[in-house]
Amino acid sequence: MTVFLCGFMGCGKSTIGKLAAKKLGCGFCDTDDLIVRTLEMTIPEIFEKKGEPFFRLTEAEIVKSLCGKTTVAACGGGAMLNPDTARAAREAGAAVVYIDVPFKVCYERIKDDTNRPIVVSSTKEQLEELYNSRKDIYLKHSTIRLECSGSPVENAELIVRSLRK
């Protein structure tokens, strides 16, 4: 089964995903890492040279290519905002898990991250507005919503339990 983790930047998808994959006995990947490897450019370089629409298109292709694989995939914050990508995941029978973490927690984790073009070019208020605008879309496009306020190990266990139900 393919498990896609979605949620706002800094919610812990990669950290939690690695732990959940280990508990599930399957592989793990991070879609942002796959994009960087595929295009041989950093995310800031992709945004600067090719633009965000190109990045989103590549992201959608990567997500679709993972459908049907036995893996836990940490998706970039914008991946499951694309209705076509979310539909492809659903139609493939993948679990789309929304990692719901308060904005304040996400912001503390991302505020100094220079590898996130949207963070670098936005104020805290703009990021909070983006967070709020994405929340309902994450809910709409996910099959499971988890409030992840515990430790990474506890949150990974939440994922595993929710998938086994």
Side-chain angles (χ1 to χ4, degrees):
M1 173 205 282
T2 311
V3 179
F4 291 109
L5 304 181
C6 71
F8 198 68
M9 298 173 280
C11 71
K13 298 177 295 279
S14 294
T15 302
I16 298 167
K18 288 174 190 167
L19 296 168
K22 191 172 185 178
K23 288 178 180 285
L24 291 166
C26 67
F28 170 80
C29 64
D30 183 302
T31 60
D32 284 349
D33 290 346
L34 293 174
I35 293 167
V36 167
R37 275 188 267 153
T38 299
L39 299 177
E40 298 179 341
M41 299 168 77
T42 66
I43 292 173
E45 287 173 333
I46 297 165
F47 269 65
E48 181 186 327
K49 294 177 181 172
K50 305 272 189 178
E52 185 176 357
F54 178 83
F55 175 85
R56 297 295 173 205
L57 181 64
T58 305
E59 181 177 59
E61 291 170 4
I62 294 282
V63 168
K64 290 173 185 175
S65 76
L66 294 171
C67 289
K69 299 202 169 146
T70 305
T71 192
V72 174
C75 295
M80 288 299 163
L81 299 176
N82 179 331
D84 294 332
T85 306
R87 184 174 35 262
R90 266 195 319 277
E91 288 173 359
V96 179
V97 181
Y98 169 34
I99 307 299
D100 193 357
V101 173
F103 173 75
K104 183 176 160 182
V105 174
C106 293
Y107 183 73
E108 283 305 310
R109 293 174 181 167
I110 65 172
K111 66 181 181 182
D112 298 319
D113 191 340
T114 58
N115 198 42
R116 298 176 191 263
I118 293 172
V119 172
V120 171
S121 66
S122 303
T123 65
K124 180 180 181 182
E125 293 73 25
Q126 290 169 321
L127 289 170
E128 187 166 18
E129 189 176 308
L130 184 63
Y131 171 93
N132 290 330
S133 72
R134 288 180 171 187
K135 191 169 181 91
D136 286 341
I137 301 169
Y138 291 141
L139 286 168
K140 178 182 174 186
H141 292 170
S142 61
T143 53
I144 299 168
R145 174 189 168 260
L146 297 175
E147 287 186 28
C148 291
S149 56
S151 71
V153 171
E154 291 167 331
N155 293 335
E157 189 55 43
L158 272 176
I159 291 170
V160 171
R161 280 197 311 265
S162 70
L163 292 171
R164 290 190 173 149
K165 284 184 180 177

